[in-house]
Amino acid sequence: MNLPPQSIHVWRQCNTLAVARNFHEENMDILKPRVDGRLDQSGVTGMQFPSYEYLVALGYGLVGEHQWVHRTVSFIIYCFGAWGIYELFLVLFHSSWAAALGAWSFCWSPELFYFGISALPDVLALVCSIWGLTLFLWWNKSGKVFWLLPSWFATTLGGLTKIQFLVVGFPMAVLVVRDWKKWNPRQWAAFVLYGATCVGLTLAWYHYAEILIATTGLSDFGLYFKPAQGWIPALKTIWHNAVSEIPELLLNYATFVFFVVGVVAFWKPGWQRSEWFTPIAIWGAGVLAYYLIELGQMGAHSYYLLPFLPLLLVVVVKGGMILRESRFRPFFLVLLVLQPVMALIRIVPPRFLAKDKAVPQELYAEDSRERLEKAVPNQALCLVGPDGSGCIYFYFLHKKGFGFSRLEDLEENLKGIPVIEEDIHRGAEYLYTNDLSISDRKVLAPYLQSEILREGNFQVYKLWIRSKK
């Protein structure tokens, strides 16, 4: 729980945590999230609503900045998600066994098992959407407006945090239209206000984020949907998601057995008469539309599949309950035990115990990281790289300024002078790099005034402007 960011999607974790740390250290104005790779600017940029980052920053304010803070915040959110699934499935299946199976399967999704203690705002958005729908169903069943306000808050926060999770509004709309006769004008007005403000606030935030990006030019976070570029890449992504990521990462292989049984059960006649058939079918259609619109992201970002998880778990629970009530009950119990085992095997060795942390060892190890950080004042602007992510090195070094992906980027002429000189003119005072060839480069070497520290492959230099003849 006290490990620094590592493994797959470490860049996303670092950027998320950098925003949280900048809230804590600079300004707690939630309307002005800041990144580290900020050039000579304030770092303010547009992004999804920084709800998760703000929660982590509040944690830093209470107990100080420690790695276990963000992991604890994530774990609490993860637990609330399991509770939400239990309550949701209790409504859908009218069975505590079914609800418990849904919550248990949610816990052992390998993707959630990993990101449930990692810095990823998508898990918060998922959990908010689950609770938004659950509270809405409580309202739909009781007619008490008491449940509507927390449902609206959860759904809106989920959409603000990640816009794709607004798709949870599809089954809500179906239920309201289906049951229209039982609603009075006041209740209709409440639902219209619910939908309009939920969608309106979300779209307003993302428009505001676009304005911030256009104003500062800092675009660390993607805000746009990314469809696949052509049929062949699209089919490859769909195949990869279907045969690998959904059974292995999103569900896990033991849970996938329940899913297969559930799929077979849904093909049998009669299930279409369920009161939940149409709402769930429309919900599924909405998630599928999102999937196709965002297909270009699905190949490399498995966590983009998280909106599918509640729907897949409906099928999982259906299949699990069939096995439990059949002569295969012992097999059902074996699969329950295998679920956490599969999650542990899939996540712990490759992502937490692997030697390769997807972060340079000098930055990952606490002692060397501390020496590198203290070599230069944190308030000084630095040149940092080569780091293609634009955020990993900045976060671990606790520095801000100008990033570069390769040394050649610093040599390219800009306005007739090398980029490194332009960056120095804009305020860069020091350079961090783990490319040891820098001192041999004729263009760059004259700007290296002195070496301050060498830690493994990392070098820290004081910069100066070469005298002009």
Side-chain angles (χ1 to χ4, degrees):
M1 289 296 286
N2 203 35
L3 292 174
Q6 59 188 287
S7 190
I8 190 169
H9 303 308
V10 66
W11 62 271
R12 187 62 175 89
Q13 299 173 56
C14 288
N15 238 356
T16 299
L17 294 174
V19 172
R21 182 167 64 192
N22 292 334
F23 275 135
H24 171 60
E25 292 182 345
E26 299 181 317
N27 193 323
M28 286 296 287
D29 185 351
I30 199 170
L31 301 180
K32 294 180 179 179
R34 290 171 166 82
V35 292
D36 290 339
R38 60 181 59 180
L39 309 177
D40 55 350
Q41 302 181 42
S42 66
V44 174
T45 189
M47 60 182 297
Q48 86 284 338
F49 187 68
S51 49
Y52 173 83
E53 294 82 352
Y54 205 78
L55 286 173
V56 174
L58 291 174
Y60 290 161
L62 289 174
V63 298
E65 185 184 341
H66 309 280
Q67 297 295 346
W68 61 263
V69 174
H70 83 265
R71 295 193 182 278
T72 301
V73 170
S74 295
F75 182 69
I76 292 171
I77 294 168
Y78 178 35
C79 293
F80 267 91
W83 178 22
I85 283 288
Y86 178 88
E87 297 292 350
L88 175 62
F89 283 18
L90 197 59
V91 175
L92 296 182
F93 289 94
H94 307 291
S95 164
S96 57
W97 251 106
L101 177 59
W104 181 251
S105 301
F106 177 92
C107 289
W108 303 118
S109 159
E111 194 75 352
L112 279 180
F113 184 71
Y114 175 63
F115 285 116
I117 56 168
S118 302
L120 186 76
D122 299 63
V123 178
L124 174 60
L126 170 66
V127 172
C128 285
S129 69
I130 290 169
W131 273 106
L133 178 58
T134 301
L135 293 164
F136 184 88
L137 293 179
W138 289 356
W139 172 68
N140 182 63
K141 183 178 180 180
S142 66
K144 297 179 180 179
V145 181
F146 172 81
W147 297 118
L148 200 57
L149 183 59
S151 171
W152 171 87
F153 177 79
T155 305
T156 303
L157 185 59
L160 285 167
T161 304
K162 279 301 183 78
I163 192 171
Q164 58 263 36
F165 287 92
L166 280 183
V167 73
V168 78
F170 281 47
M172 299 180 190
V174 172
L175 289 171
V176 168
V177 172
R178 186 193 69 185
D179 301 334
W180 67 273
K181 290 183 179 180
K182 74 177 186 179
W183 306 122
N184 59 44
R186 183 179 176 183
Q187 290 168 321
W188 268 104
F191 180 73
V192 170
L193 185 63
Y194 180 120
T197 54
C198 181
V199 174
L201 285 171
T202 300
L203 294 179
W205 172 263
Y206 281 87
H207 177 65
Y208 169 69
E210 289 178 347
I211 293 174
L212 288 181
I213 291 175
T215 301
T216 65
L218 303 176
S219 54
D220 288 52
F221 301 93
L223 298 179
Y224 304 99
F225 290 116
K226 185 180 179 182
Q229 301 299 311
W231 282 103
I232 294 178
L235 292 175
K236 286 183 177 179
T237 298
I238 292 171
W239 176 257
H240 178 66
N241 291 158
V243 303
S244 177
E245 291 187 326
I246 289 177
E248 181 183 0
L249 273 175
L250 201 58
L251 293 178
N252 102 30
Y253 288 125
T255 308
F256 189 67
V257 175
F258 291 144
F259 179 78
V260 171
V261 175
V263 169
V264 173
F266 275 120
W267 278 106
K268 294 182 179 180
W271 65 276
Q272 297 91 340
R273 292 192 294 270
S274 167
E275 62 175 320
W276 303 116
F277 169 69
T278 302
I280 290 177
I282 298 298
W283 185 8
V287 174
L288 183 60
Y290 148 73
Y291 175 78
L292 295 175
I293 293 171
E294 197 73 301
L295 192 56
Q297 297 278 26
M298 298 297 173
H301 302 85
S302 51
Y303 58 84
Y304 273 65
L305 294 169
L306 285 177
F308 278 96
L309 187 59
L311 283 164
L312 296 177
L313 290 179
V314 171
V315 184
V316 166
V317 169
K318 180 70 174 178
M321 295 307 291
I322 289 174
L323 287 179
R324 176 178 176 266
E325 295 163 5
S326 71
R327 66 179 185 275
F328 298 106
R329 182 183 175 89
F331 183 50
F332 165 80
L333 297 174
V334 169
L335 288 174
L336 288 183
V337 174
L338 284 177
Q339 283 177 291
V341 173
M342 289 292 185
L344 288 163
I345 291 173
R346 180 59 183 83
I347 296 302
V348 175
R351 296 195 183 182
F352 286 113
L353 300 182
K355 185 176 180 180
D356 182 10
K357 307 297 184 181
V359 176
Q361 186 59 32
E362 297 91 337
L363 301 182
Y364 186 82
E366 186 175 359
D367 291 344
S368 55
R369 180 172 70 245
E370 186 174 336
R371 285 191 291 269
L372 284 165
E373 178 185 342
K374 291 182 176 179
V376 169
N378 285 338
Q379 65 271 21
L381 291 179
C382 299
L383 269 167
V384 176
D387 177 12
S389 74
C391 61
I392 296 174
Y393 289 14
F394 276 121
Y395 172 73
F396 277 92
L397 292 168
H398 202 163
K399 297 295 180 284
K400 298 171 177 61
F402 306 81
F404 59 93
S405 298
R406 55 197 185 115
L407 290 179
E408 288 80 359
D409 296 340
L410 300 179
E411 296 175 333
E412 295 175 359
N413 287 336
L414 182 69
K415 301 177 182 178
I417 61 175
V419 171
I420 188 173
E421 185 169 330
E422 178 69 16
D423 290 343
I424 292 172
H425 278 300
R426 296 176 66 178
E429 300 179 66
Y430 302 93
L431 183 144
Y432 281 86
T433 184
N434 58 344
D435 189 330
L436 299 178
S437 70
I438 188 169
S439 58
D440 298 326
R441 292 179 174 265
K442 294 181 180 180
V443 176
L444 302 179
Y447 297 95
L448 308 179
Q449 178 178 339
S450 60
E451 184 179 288
I452 298 174
L453 175 69
R454 181 171 293 205
E455 183 72 40
N457 288 331
F458 269 84
Q459 298 167 287
V460 186
Y461 288 97
K462 172 69 176 173
L463 296 171
W464 64 1
I465 299 176
R466 183 179 54 180
S467 300
K468 296 181 180 180
K469 294 182 180 180

